Amino acid sequence: MSSSSPFKLRVAICGGGISGLCLAVALSQCPNIQVEVYEATDRFKEIGAGVMIWARTWKILELLGLGSAFSKIAHSPPDGSIGTGFDFRRSDQPEEGSRFYLVQMPYGCIRFYRVDFLDAFVEALPPNVAHFGMRLVSYSQNASASEISLQFSNGTTATCDLLAGCDGIKSSIRAQLYRECSERSGDSTLLKFIDPVWTGTIAYRGLIPVEHLPPCHRSIADPMMHVVSYSISRGKVVNVVTFASDPKREGEPHNEDVWVANCLQQELLECYSNWEPEVEQLLNQIEKPTKWAIHHLRPLPFFVDRKIALLGDACHAMAPHEGAGAGQAIEDAFILASLLEQVSSLETLPLALDAYQRVRLPFANHVLKGSYDSGLMYEFNSQYGEDYEVLGPAIEKQWDWVEEPSPEEERLRALQYLKDAIS
C-alpha cells in the first residue's frame, strides 16, 4: 500500500454465530474497514430452538438498519407498548399452580426461531466475506509486528490487523489469549478463565407444534416461567425449556463429555412427575427432548489483549435465565463496530479496543452473574427462598439492565473514552 492510499483496517472474525455475524454486518457498513468471516463448519448454523431479546437489543437492530428484516421473523414484532417479560408461576405440585409474580417491560419479550434469527444476519452480509471450513488452529501476534498471522486447520493462512474472537463458549482464541497472558505475566491464576464451568443445572428442551396444545394453553399467549415456554416461528411452535438444578454442584466437572444429547421422553417426565396438570400436558407433547448441561464462564478480567478482542460467548457465556446471551453478543458487536469506524490508523486501534473493554466488560459480567443468580431465584434456591413478597420484586430488579443505560448511551460513552484517549 502506498503512502497516499487511504487507511483500511483489516478485521478477521473467527466464528459465524450471532456475535460474529452481527459484527460483520455492522463493519461492512464502514468504508474504512475490510472484514472477513472465518467459519469452522461448512455453513452458518446454530444449535437450539428459540432466541429472545429485549427492548435494548431491538433498538440496536434498528440502529443497524435491520429492524425491518427482524420484524418479519419475530413472533410479535414490537409496537412500543408494554408487554409481558415473564409470567412467573408456581407449578411443582400435583394441584393447579398459580402466578406469584408478573414482570412487564417495554416491548415485552421478543421471540424468534433461532435459525431464522441467524439467517437474517446472513442475508445482510455482503458477498464474498464468508469463508467456510476454516477452523482457526492458532494465531501469532508480536508486540513489534503490525499484523496478526492466522493458521487454519486446512493448512491455509491469513493475516489481519485485528482478530475478533467470536468462537463461542469453548473459544480456542480465549484459550490461547489467556495462556499467553499467563506466560507473559507469570500469573498462573489466569488459566482458570480458559475453561467453561458447569452451573450445576441440566436443561431439557423440546419443540411443540402449537396445534398439539389446547387453544387455551397459557404458554401459547405469553412467555411462562414455571417451566420456560414461549411461542416462536410467528406463533406456530412453542419452545419449552425445563431446568433441574443442584446449586451445590456449580463448578464441579460435568461427568459427561457431551454437553448436548438426546434423551428419552420418560426421563423428562420422571423429572417433573407430580407437577401441575398444565406442565404434564405440555411435557407429554415433547416426543424427542434434548438434554443440555448448562455451562457459563467465570467473569473474565479482560476481553482484549493487544490486537485480539473477544465477543459474545467467547468472553461472557452465561446461563440462559435472563434470555440475555444473544442480546449481549449483539451489544458487543454494536459497540466494537462503532469504535472501529473511528480508527484512522493502527496507532489508534489499541485505544479503540480499550474503550470497547471499558464499556462492555463490566456490563456483560454484571449480566452474566445476574443470569446465574436469577436461576437460583426461579427455583427457590436463593437467599429469598419461597418468600414471594420479597422474591417477586427481587426477580424484577434483575432486569434493571434492560432499560438503563441505553445502548446508545453506552455507545456515546465508549466513543468519548476513545476521543479522550486520542486527545
Side-chain angles (χ1 to χ4, degrees):
M1 184 174 69
S2 69
S3 58
S4 60
S5 299
F7 173 75
K8 203 171 185 72
L9 182 69
R10 299 174 301 152
V11 179
I13 300 172
C14 282
I18 291 172
S19 63
L21 290 179
C22 184
L23 181 62
V25 170
L27 293 181
S28 68
Q29 301 173 11
C30 306
N32 63 317
I33 295 176
Q34 175 186 325
V35 61
E36 308 289 344
V37 181
Y38 299 102
E39 166 57 31
T41 62
D42 61 355
R43 58 188 172 89
F44 294 125
K45 58 184 177 183
E46 279 280 278
I47 61 171
V51 60
M52 61 178 64
I53 61 173
W54 307 99
R56 67 181 299 115
T57 308
W58 186 261
K59 291 174 184 175
I60 293 174
L61 295 177
E62 289 182 325
L63 289 168
L64 292 175
L66 300 173
S68 176
F70 280 90
S71 288
K72 295 174 182 177
I73 59 172
H75 167 57
S76 298
D79 58 11
S81 61
I82 296 294
T84 298
F86 270 107
D87 189 348
F88 290 87
R89 185 173 174 84
R90 187 73 193 248
S91 299
D92 56 344
Q93 69 277 317
E95 62 273 11
E96 184 177 353
S98 60
R99 172 191 292 171
F100 71 85
Y101 206 74
L102 177 67
V103 174
Q104 294 183 302
M105 58 185 70
Y107 299 1
C109 170
I110 309 162
R111 293 102 69 191
F112 303 85
Y113 182 43
R114 186 170 286 268
V115 172
D116 293 342
F117 193 81
L118 196 73
D119 283 349
F121 285 118
V122 172
E123 290 170 7
L125 277 179
N128 305 317
V129 303
H131 311 277
F132 298 101
M134 303 285 281
R135 182 180 299 279
L136 186 70
V137 174
S138 64
Y139 64 83
S140 57
Q141 62 169 342
N142 189 294
S144 61
S146 61
E147 64 182 19
I148 301 167
S149 298
L150 309 177
Q151 297 80 42
F152 296 95
S153 58
N154 61 5
T156 60
T157 61
T159 59
C160 62
D161 301 316
L162 168 65
L163 172 60
C166 302
D167 52 341
I169 188 171
K170 297 181 181 180
S171 171
S172 63
I173 297 174
R174 181 183 68 248
Q176 181 176 341
L177 186 153
Y178 271 83
R179 279 196 303 268
E180 292 184 351
C181 287
S182 174
E183 291 169 2
R184 288 202 310 267
S185 66
D187 184 359
S188 62
T189 64
L190 293 176
L191 299 176
K192 70 181 180 182
F193 297 106
I194 291 176
D195 292 325
V197 176
W198 183 39
T199 61
T201 294
I202 295 295
Y204 296 93
R205 299 176 184 257
L207 297 175
I208 305 172
V210 72
E211 63 267 20
H212 291 186
L213 295 171
C216 59
H217 199 284
R218 72 183 73 246
S219 64
I220 297 174
D222 289 312
M224 298 299 302
M225 191 72 79
H226 38 42
V227 299
V228 180
S229 53
Y230 55 90
S231 297
I232 57 173
S233 290
R234 300 187 67 83
K236 298 177 183 178
V237 176
V238 173
N239 183 43
V240 180
V241 188
T242 69
F243 298 101
S245 301
D246 184 352
K248 296 188 296 296
R249 299 189 65 188
E250 196 263 346
E252 289 185 8
H254 181 57
N255 58 9
E256 297 180 21
D257 293 334
V258 178
W259 291 4
V260 182
N262 296 324
C263 71
L264 297 175
Q265 184 191 49
Q266 189 60 32
E267 178 181 341
L268 170 63
L269 296 178
E270 288 176 357
C271 190
Y272 297 92
S273 63
N274 296 317
W275 281 46
E276 69 164 313
E278 186 175 84
V279 170
E280 293 191 349
Q281 185 181 52
L282 196 67
L283 302 186
N284 271 304
Q285 296 301 321
I286 302 176
E287 297 179 358
K288 297 179 179 180
T290 54
K291 181 178 178 179
W292 301 57
I294 303 300
H295 287 68
H296 62 180
L297 293 182
R298 296 179 174 91
L300 300 188
F302 48 86
F303 291 176
V304 170
D305 177 47
R306 295 177 179 171
K307 297 178 182 178
I308 313 295
L310 301 175
L311 291 83
D313 281 356
C315 56
H316 49 67
M318 57 190 68
H321 304 298
E322 291 185 1
Q328 287 302 291
I330 289 169
E331 198 153 338
D332 291 343
F334 173 65
I335 297 296
L336 183 57
S338 298
L339 289 162
L340 295 181
E341 186 178 13
Q342 305 302 314
V343 171
S344 58
S345 69
L346 291 179
E347 287 70 34
T348 56
L349 176 58
L351 304 179
L353 297 181
D354 179 67
Y356 163 72
Q357 179 169 266
R358 290 181 67 177
V359 169
R360 288 301 302 144
L361 184 144
F363 194 103
N365 279 347
H366 170 74
V367 179
L368 187 163
K369 183 179 184 302
S371 294
Y372 176 75
D373 292 342
S374 289
L376 296 178
M377 293 182 191
Y378 303 161
E379 297 186 74
F380 310 108
N381 290 320
S382 74
Q383 60 183 310
Y384 308 110
E386 301 179 20
D387 185 348
Y388 300 146
E389 291 187 5
V390 179
L391 177 62
I395 287 174
E396 184 166 20
K397 188 171 178 56
Q398 290 291 102
W399 267 282
D400 282 354
W401 60 268
V402 171
E403 298 185 51
E404 296 290 343
S406 73
E408 182 61 14
E409 289 172 330
E410 291 288 84
R411 173 182 174 274
L412 293 175
R413 190 161 67 92
L415 291 173
Q416 188 63 51
Y417 281 141
L418 177 59
K419 181 180 177 181
D420 292 345
I422 292 173
S423 61

